[in-house]
Amino acid sequence: MALVEIELRISECTNLVWFILAKSPIPVPQLSLLGPSRLLSKPFSWQQPVLGEAVPGFAAPPGTVPVRAPVKIAHVSLDELKVNASTPHAVTDCVAWLLISMVPDRLRIHLLRLESPGCPTQTFATPLFIAEQAMPLDDVEDVRAAAIILQDEVATLRFAVGANDSLLVPLLNLLLQEQEDDGWLIRIAGDIFADRVRRQLSKALVPPPNGTKIESGPAAIWFAAPSFIPGGIPGLSAGTWGVLGSVELEKEDACGDVDVSVAISVALAISPDIATRRVNLALHLASDVSDWDVFRCWLSTGGIASLVIGVFASFVGGIMVALQSLIMIAEFARLESGAELKGTSIGGGFTKVGSNDTSVWYAGDISLPAFPTGQIRSATVGPDGLVVRGSVVILALDHTVTFQPDGGPLETHWAGYYSCREEAWKTTCEVQSIVVRDLIYAPDLSAPSGKRLVTGNGVAVFPTTTFLPPGPVWLMPVTVAPGEWVYDAPSWAQGSPIVTPRRTGMPRVGEEILFFLHTSAGIKRFDIGPIPAIPEREGAPSSIILGVHRANCKLSTRNWTRLQEIQWLIDPPPYEYGIQPLRQWMLTFRQLPRGTSITVLTRGGQEEGTNRHEFNGAETGLIEVVTAADSEIALDHNLEDSDTEARVFQRWLLPAQSAQLPGAVESLSLAGTRNGSVIPTALIEGRWFTFGDDGLVELKYARVAHPRKQSTRSLSLPGGQVTVIWNNMIMTAIPYGPHERVVLHERLGDEVGS
């Protein structure tokens, strides 16, 4: 049977389920069990689950495992938060009835029922998704189905790799046959290795080389070389297990009117090495022509040799790809999950180690399948296939939720600018954004903090997020007037989402509002206001100044100075997220003459630099610059007396997280993941990386074939965030205060802006 099996002792599987549950966010904003006014306020606090216990009267479907788990659920009401933003949240002890199921690429846990003394039982007609653990099966296209089966103190995770394989055949439970210290076992059936060889032979023979036809095969079996054969079978030592494959080809009139039959044999020996955590592979390919045909057909003509060259060439590389993707099945349950992209890049391969007139030998190696945090105790090859055993310790997780800022007042300020597009002065009241993170840490004594980041949950903003006016609870309306206050946030769960409250119209001076942000990570109250008076410099200017603005927007001729100074005109942001803010400059040009050359000079306390730009005859151009908070830029150019139009767009970037780059960034892209979300990816010295809550992570088994957007400096992300490259760092930042202005005649000091 072509099965991959992962056996876990019941204690280890219990810890694994507990580990997965500990990562779960708040699944829904409310539960009927707690009442309509209660909002779930913190991720569930799961206690040790009990595997195999089902809801009374419920029969778990075959291939699934029922679970009972105590859980503490925290909740609060808006009334309580309005009176006191720091009010202690109530905690209700519940019993959760869960169901574990498997799909080919992940283990999933759903909630069936919740019970608590004194509360009505809540049964979910549609099981409520709670948590999942990804399996590294992105590149294994022939995994047909998966199941989890509990029997005799062993939980077995099964993957069917063949079309006709049954997941419910009797279990082997090999884990119970050896040392009691082994907590896990991974078995890759020998039939899978044989199937890989057979399928690769089939691919290599489509079409058959040099006009041949297939007489028989291809075939492959998991095979033990008989010890009674002296020296064993070529490629397999006597008594060892491996794959033996064959195919017979025939070419009519290969030598004149002589038909030639050629038998091609394949032997694949598999030898695990615990010390290197690798599986050594020895591949032997041979061709054999019948003595009668050899006698009738002179081999030196090349007629026979050419029959097998094409088969050998296409087979060798393909078998390494097939085996590499196979081993990925057994890299069980990556404890450090994250965004993954689908790809087929593997690296490595076979190396030719010898040959003669009719045979060739290759050697290669692939990773030894193992539990990611486990210790390998033994690895054997036998009638059951490749079997790896070991121990593992699954430690408790630290589920950390942060709001930045952590509740309380949100900064508000007025900003005024002239919009050339709308031909009007715009004054807006801007409210500080909120960043929410839901991070999972594991103990790590080698880290300075004593813990390491495992993963980051996507954070969803619940529709129960609302605005309420301050004041006594008994006098408050249910909500503020519809449409007066709204918030900008991603419409789907996203790592570190930005949530920005805003007023749809001009707020009143002195206006106050309470913002209750309810997410899958928790709930916080924020206070907005009192709204300050509009500063004179941000208010509507005189009609004379507005006339100058309108004229400048329509002015087409620019009398540039040879060295054009570009001054920063935006006030510093009133807050940051622990990393110094950056300045982002965007310069756009129209009606560029041929031969235009612009060099950007960066000057400041932290950096000095130059960057030359050629536009290759284009009439329009774009230059983007990111600098430190104390830097200015100047343009050295050849645009004197030209009709070039230039605009400058400036905004602050407030970095929320950063990581050191391992090399120069060739491109910065947005790419889609398997679950439909979008992540930033960076191509660095030929390797793809992604950057998110768990830092900069290399996509070792992935590729970005069709990036959605591409740049080398910054990239706008869904939800308003920006990924930016600066000073050999990659950062996720929040933009603040965009301002557009038009470059004028002599000095930038005379320009329009604020």
Side-chain angles (χ1 to χ4, degrees), residues 32-76:
S32 61
L33 172 136
L34 301 173
S37 67
R38 311 303 295 179
L39 302 179
L40 304 186
S41 56
K42 295 180 181 179
F44 291 0
S45 178
W46 295 94
Q47 311 303 304
Q48 188 173 43
V50 180
L51 273 61
E53 292 197 13
V55 176
F58 172 77
T64 65
V65 171
V67 177
R68 177 179 61 84
V71 60
K72 295 180 181 293
I73 300 178
H75 48 95
V76 70

Short mmCIF file of all heavy atoms in Angstrom, two decimals, residues 32-76:
data_model
loop_
_atom_site.label_atom_id
_atom_site.label_comp_id
_atom_site.label_asym_id
_atom_site.label_seq_id
_atom_site.Cartn_x
_atom_site.Cartn_y
_atom_site.Cartn_z
N SER A 32 -23.66 32.40 22.06
CA SER A 32 -25.00 32.44 22.66
C SER A 32 -24.99 31.87 24.07
O SER A 32 -25.82 32.23 24.91
CB SER A 32 -25.98 31.67 21.77
OG SER A 32 -25.59 30.31 21.66
N LEU A 33 -24.04 30.98 24.36
CA LEU A 33 -23.90 30.40 25.69
C LEU A 33 -23.70 31.47 26.75
O LEU A 33 -24.10 31.32 27.90
CB LEU A 33 -22.74 29.40 25.67
CG LEU A 33 -22.27 28.78 26.97
CD1 LEU A 33 -22.02 27.29 26.78
CD2 LEU A 33 -20.96 29.44 27.42
N LEU A 34 -23.06 32.59 26.40
CA LEU A 34 -22.72 33.64 27.36
C LEU A 34 -23.73 34.78 27.37
O LEU A 34 -23.68 35.65 28.24
CB LEU A 34 -21.33 34.20 27.05
CG LEU A 34 -20.18 33.19 27.09
CD1 LEU A 34 -18.89 33.84 26.61
CD2 LEU A 34 -20.01 32.64 28.50
N GLY A 35 -24.59 34.85 26.38
CA GLY A 35 -25.57 35.93 26.33
C GLY A 35 -25.23 36.95 25.27
O GLY A 35 -24.07 37.11 24.87
N PRO A 36 -26.24 37.71 24.80
CA PRO A 36 -26.05 38.61 23.66
C PRO A 36 -25.19 39.83 23.95
O PRO A 36 -24.67 40.45 23.02
CB PRO A 36 -27.48 39.02 23.29
CG PRO A 36 -28.26 38.86 24.57
CD PRO A 36 -27.64 37.70 25.28
N SER A 37 -25.03 40.22 25.20
CA SER A 37 -24.26 41.43 25.50
C SER A 37 -22.79 41.16 25.75
O SER A 37 -22.01 42.11 25.91
CB SER A 37 -24.85 42.13 26.74
OG SER A 37 -24.66 41.33 27.90
N ARG A 38 -22.39 39.89 25.79
CA ARG A 38 -21.01 39.56 26.12
C ARG A 38 -20.17 39.39 24.85
O ARG A 38 -20.56 38.68 23.91
CB ARG A 38 -20.93 38.27 26.94
CG ARG A 38 -21.86 38.21 28.12
CD ARG A 38 -21.64 39.36 29.07
NE ARG A 38 -20.31 39.33 29.69
CZ ARG A 38 -19.87 40.23 30.55
NH1 ARG A 38 -20.65 41.27 30.86
NH2 ARG A 38 -18.67 40.12 31.07
N LEU A 39 -19.03 40.07 24.82
CA LEU A 39 -18.10 39.98 23.70
C LEU A 39 -16.87 39.19 24.15
O LEU A 39 -16.32 39.45 25.23
CB LEU A 39 -17.67 41.37 23.23
CG LEU A 39 -18.79 42.32 22.78
CD1 LEU A 39 -18.20 43.66 22.36
CD2 LEU A 39 -19.59 41.71 21.64
N LEU A 40 -16.43 38.24 23.33
CA LEU A 40 -15.23 37.46 23.65
C LEU A 40 -14.03 38.40 23.61
O LEU A 40 -13.82 39.11 22.63
CB LEU A 40 -15.06 36.31 22.67
CG LEU A 40 -16.25 35.34 22.56
CD1 LEU A 40 -15.90 34.15 21.68
CD2 LEU A 40 -16.69 34.87 23.94
N SER A 41 -13.26 38.41 24.69
CA SER A 41 -12.27 39.47 24.86
C SER A 41 -10.83 39.00 24.82
O SER A 41 -9.92 39.84 24.70
CB SER A 41 -12.51 40.19 26.19
OG SER A 41 -12.48 39.26 27.28
N LYS A 42 -10.56 37.71 24.90
CA LYS A 42 -9.19 37.19 24.85
C LYS A 42 -9.21 35.84 24.15
O LYS A 42 -10.23 35.15 24.14
CB LYS A 42 -8.61 37.03 26.26
CG LYS A 42 -8.44 38.33 27.02
CD LYS A 42 -7.85 38.07 28.41
CE LYS A 42 -7.71 39.37 29.19
NZ LYS A 42 -7.17 39.13 30.55
N PRO A 43 -8.06 35.43 23.54
CA PRO A 43 -8.00 34.07 22.99
C PRO A 43 -8.32 33.04 24.08
O PRO A 43 -7.99 33.22 25.25
CB PRO A 43 -6.55 33.96 22.51
CG PRO A 43 -6.15 35.36 22.20
CD PRO A 43 -6.84 36.21 23.24
N PHE A 44 -8.94 31.94 23.67
CA PHE A 44 -9.34 30.90 24.62
C PHE A 44 -8.11 30.36 25.35
O PHE A 44 -7.04 30.19 24.76
CB PHE A 44 -10.05 29.76 23.91
CG PHE A 44 -11.40 30.11 23.37
CD1 PHE A 44 -11.92 31.39 23.52
CD2 PHE A 44 -12.17 29.17 22.71
CE1 PHE A 44 -13.17 31.71 23.02
CE2 PHE A 44 -13.42 29.48 22.21
CZ PHE A 44 -13.93 30.75 22.36
N SER A 45 -8.29 30.05 26.62
CA SER A 45 -7.23 29.42 27.42
C SER A 45 -7.54 27.94 27.52
O SER A 45 -8.36 27.51 28.35
CB SER A 45 -7.16 30.07 28.80
OG SER A 45 -6.18 29.44 29.60
N TRP A 46 -6.91 27.15 26.68
CA TRP A 46 -7.20 25.72 26.60
C TRP A 46 -6.43 24.94 27.66
O TRP A 46 -5.27 25.21 27.92
CB TRP A 46 -6.84 25.17 25.22
CG TRP A 46 -7.67 25.75 24.11
CD1 TRP A 46 -7.36 26.81 23.33
CD2 TRP A 46 -8.95 25.29 23.69
NE1 TRP A 46 -8.37 27.06 22.43
CE2 TRP A 46 -9.36 26.14 22.62
CE3 TRP A 46 -9.80 24.26 24.10
CZ2 TRP A 46 -10.58 25.97 21.97
CZ3 TRP A 46 -11.01 24.09 23.45
CH2 TRP A 46 -11.39 24.94 22.41
N GLN A 47 -7.09 23.96 28.26
CA GLN A 47 -6.44 23.05 29.20
C GLN A 47 -6.14 21.74 28.45
O GLN A 47 -6.50 21.57 27.29
CB GLN A 47 -7.34 22.80 30.40
CG GLN A 47 -7.89 24.08 31.03
CD GLN A 47 -6.81 25.04 31.46
OE1 GLN A 47 -5.94 24.67 32.24
NE2 GLN A 47 -6.85 26.27 30.98
N GLN A 48 -5.47 20.83 29.12
CA GLN A 48 -5.04 19.60 28.45
C GLN A 48 -6.23 18.81 27.90
O GLN A 48 -7.15 18.47 28.64
CB GLN A 48 -4.23 18.72 29.39
CG GLN A 48 -3.59 17.52 28.68
CD GLN A 48 -2.65 16.76 29.58
OE1 GLN A 48 -2.96 16.51 30.73
NE2 GLN A 48 -1.51 16.38 29.05
N PRO A 49 -6.22 18.53 26.59
CA PRO A 49 -7.34 17.80 25.99
C PRO A 49 -7.28 16.30 26.29
O PRO A 49 -6.24 15.77 26.69
CB PRO A 49 -7.16 18.07 24.49
CG PRO A 49 -5.68 18.28 24.33
CD PRO A 49 -5.20 18.92 25.59
N VAL A 50 -8.41 15.65 26.11
CA VAL A 50 -8.51 14.19 26.25
C VAL A 50 -8.95 13.63 24.91
O VAL A 50 -10.07 13.91 24.45
CB VAL A 50 -9.51 13.80 27.36
CG1 VAL A 50 -9.58 12.28 27.48
CG2 VAL A 50 -9.11 14.44 28.68
N LEU A 51 -8.08 12.85 24.26
CA LEU A 51 -8.38 12.31 22.94
C LEU A 51 -9.28 11.08 23.05
O LEU A 51 -9.13 10.27 23.98
CB LEU A 51 -7.09 11.94 22.21
CG LEU A 51 -6.42 13.06 21.40
CD1 LEU A 51 -6.03 14.23 22.29
CD2 LEU A 51 -5.19 12.53 20.65
N GLY A 52 -10.18 10.95 22.10
CA GLY A 52 -11.03 9.77 22.02
C GLY A 52 -12.37 9.90 22.71
O GLY A 52 -13.22 9.02 22.59
N GLU A 53 -12.62 10.99 23.45
CA GLU A 53 -13.90 11.19 24.13
C GLU A 53 -14.81 12.03 23.25
O GLU A 53 -14.44 13.13 22.83
CB GLU A 53 -13.69 11.86 25.48
CG GLU A 53 -12.98 10.97 26.49
CD GLU A 53 -13.15 11.46 27.91
OE1 GLU A 53 -14.02 12.34 28.14
OE2 GLU A 53 -12.41 10.99 28.79
N ALA A 54 -16.00 11.52 22.99
CA ALA A 54 -16.94 12.17 22.08
C ALA A 54 -18.16 12.67 22.83
O ALA A 54 -18.48 12.21 23.94
CB ALA A 54 -17.36 11.21 20.97
N VAL A 55 -18.85 13.62 22.22
CA VAL A 55 -20.12 14.09 22.74
C VAL A 55 -21.06 12.90 22.88
O VAL A 55 -21.15 12.07 21.96
CB VAL A 55 -20.74 15.15 21.79
CG1 VAL A 55 -22.11 15.57 22.27
CG2 VAL A 55 -19.82 16.34 21.67
N PRO A 56 -21.76 12.76 24.00
CA PRO A 56 -22.69 11.63 24.14
C PRO A 56 -23.66 11.54 22.97
O PRO A 56 -24.29 12.52 22.57
CB PRO A 56 -23.43 11.96 25.45
CG PRO A 56 -22.46 12.80 26.23
CD PRO A 56 -21.72 13.60 25.20
N GLY A 57 -23.73 10.35 22.40
CA GLY A 57 -24.61 10.12 21.27
C GLY A 57 -24.01 10.48 19.92
O GLY A 57 -24.67 10.31 18.89
N PHE A 58 -22.76 10.96 19.91
CA PHE A 58 -22.12 11.35 18.65
C PHE A 58 -21.11 10.29 18.23
O PHE A 58 -20.26 9.88 19.03
CB PHE A 58 -21.42 12.70 18.80
CG PHE A 58 -20.58 13.10 17.60
CD1 PHE A 58 -21.18 13.59 16.45
CD2 PHE A 58 -19.20 12.97 17.63
CE1 PHE A 58 -20.41 13.96 15.36
CE2 PHE A 58 -18.42 13.35 16.55
CZ PHE A 58 -19.03 13.84 15.41
N ALA A 59 -21.20 9.83 16.99
CA ALA A 59 -20.25 8.87 16.44
C ALA A 59 -19.32 9.60 15.48
O ALA A 59 -19.77 10.14 14.47
CB ALA A 59 -20.98 7.73 15.72
N ALA A 60 -18.05 9.65 15.81
CA ALA A 60 -17.08 10.34 14.97
C ALA A 60 -16.95 9.63 13.63
O ALA A 60 -16.86 8.39 13.59
CB ALA A 60 -15.72 10.41 15.65
N PRO A 61 -16.95 10.34 12.51
CA PRO A 61 -16.78 9.70 11.20
C PRO A 61 -15.44 8.97 11.13
O PRO A 61 -14.47 9.35 11.80
CB PRO A 61 -16.81 10.88 10.23
CG PRO A 61 -17.51 11.98 10.97
CD PRO A 61 -17.14 11.79 12.40
N PRO A 62 -15.35 7.90 10.33
CA PRO A 62 -14.08 7.20 10.17
C PRO A 62 -12.97 8.15 9.72
O PRO A 62 -13.20 9.02 8.88
CB PRO A 62 -14.38 6.15 9.10
CG PRO A 62 -15.86 5.95 9.16
CD PRO A 62 -16.43 7.28 9.53
N GLY A 63 -11.79 7.99 10.30
CA GLY A 63 -10.66 8.84 9.94
C GLY A 63 -10.59 10.14 10.71
O GLY A 63 -9.77 11.00 10.38
N THR A 64 -11.45 10.30 11.72
CA THR A 64 -11.42 11.49 12.58
C THR A 64 -11.32 11.04 14.03
O THR A 64 -11.60 9.88 14.36
CB THR A 64 -12.66 12.37 12.39
OG1 THR A 64 -13.82 11.65 12.83
CG2 THR A 64 -12.83 12.75 10.93
N VAL A 65 -10.95 11.97 14.91
CA VAL A 65 -10.80 11.66 16.33
C VAL A 65 -11.55 12.70 17.15
O VAL A 65 -11.29 13.91 17.00
CB VAL A 65 -9.31 11.64 16.74
CG1 VAL A 65 -9.17 11.52 18.25
CG2 VAL A 65 -8.58 10.49 16.06
N PRO A 66 -12.48 12.27 18.02
CA PRO A 66 -13.16 13.23 18.90
C PRO A 66 -12.26 13.60 20.08
O PRO A 66 -11.39 12.83 20.49
CB PRO A 66 -14.40 12.46 19.35
CG PRO A 66 -13.97 11.02 19.32
CD PRO A 66 -12.99 10.89 18.18
N VAL A 67 -12.49 14.80 20.63
CA VAL A 67 -11.66 15.31 21.72
C VAL A 67 -12.55 16.06 22.69
O VAL A 67 -13.47 16.78 22.28
CB VAL A 67 -10.56 16.26 21.19
CG1 VAL A 67 -9.75 16.85 22.33
CG2 VAL A 67 -9.64 15.53 20.21
N ARG A 68 -12.26 15.90 23.97
CA ARG A 68 -12.88 16.73 25.01
C ARG A 68 -11.77 17.57 25.63
O ARG A 68 -10.71 17.05 25.98
CB ARG A 68 -13.55 15.87 26.08
CG ARG A 68 -14.13 16.71 27.23
CD ARG A 68 -14.82 15.83 28.26
NE ARG A 68 -13.89 14.89 28.88
CZ ARG A 68 -13.10 15.18 29.91
NH1 ARG A 68 -13.08 16.41 30.42
NH2 ARG A 68 -12.30 14.26 30.41
N ALA A 69 -12.02 18.90 25.76
CA ALA A 69 -10.99 19.78 26.29
C ALA A 69 -11.61 20.84 27.19
O ALA A 69 -12.51 21.58 26.74
CB ALA A 69 -10.21 20.44 25.16
N PRO A 70 -11.17 20.95 28.45
CA PRO A 70 -11.59 22.09 29.28
C PRO A 70 -11.03 23.39 28.70
O PRO A 70 -9.92 23.41 28.15
CB PRO A 70 -10.98 21.78 30.65
CG PRO A 70 -10.61 20.33 30.61
CD PRO A 70 -10.30 20.02 29.18
N VAL A 71 -11.78 24.48 28.81
CA VAL A 71 -11.33 25.75 28.25
C VAL A 71 -11.90 26.89 29.09
O VAL A 71 -13.04 26.82 29.57
CB VAL A 71 -11.76 25.88 26.77
CG1 VAL A 71 -13.27 25.81 26.61
CG2 VAL A 71 -11.21 27.15 26.15
N LYS A 72 -11.09 27.92 29.29
CA LYS A 72 -11.53 29.12 29.99
C LYS A 72 -11.77 30.21 28.95
O LYS A 72 -10.88 30.51 28.14
CB LYS A 72 -10.49 29.57 31.01
CG LYS A 72 -10.28 28.57 32.16
CD LYS A 72 -9.24 29.08 33.14
CE LYS A 72 -9.03 28.09 34.26
NZ LYS A 72 -10.21 27.95 35.14
N ILE A 73 -12.95 30.83 28.97
CA ILE A 73 -13.34 31.83 27.97
C ILE A 73 -13.55 33.16 28.67
O ILE A 73 -14.39 33.28 29.57
CB ILE A 73 -14.61 31.39 27.23
CG1 ILE A 73 -14.37 30.04 26.52
CG2 ILE A 73 -15.04 32.45 26.22
CD1 ILE A 73 -15.58 29.49 25.80
N ALA A 74 -12.79 34.18 28.25
CA ALA A 74 -12.89 35.52 28.81
C ALA A 74 -13.87 36.35 27.98
O ALA A 74 -13.89 36.25 26.75
CB ALA A 74 -11.53 36.19 28.85
N HIS A 75 -14.65 37.20 28.67
CA HIS A 75 -15.63 38.01 27.95
C HIS A 75 -15.92 39.27 28.74
O HIS A 75 -15.67 39.37 29.97
CB HIS A 75 -16.92 37.21 27.71
CG HIS A 75 -17.45 36.51 28.93
ND1 HIS A 75 -18.40 37.05 29.75
CD2 HIS A 75 -17.12 35.30 29.46
CE1 HIS A 75 -18.67 36.21 30.74
NE2 HIS A 75 -17.90 35.12 30.60
N VAL A 76 -16.46 40.28 28.05
CA VAL A 76 -16.73 41.57 28.65
C VAL A 76 -17.87 42.21 27.87
O VAL A 76 -18.16 41.81 26.73
CB VAL A 76 -15.46 42.46 28.63
CG1 VAL A 76 -15.13 42.90 27.22
CG2 VAL A 76 -15.57 43.66 29.57
#
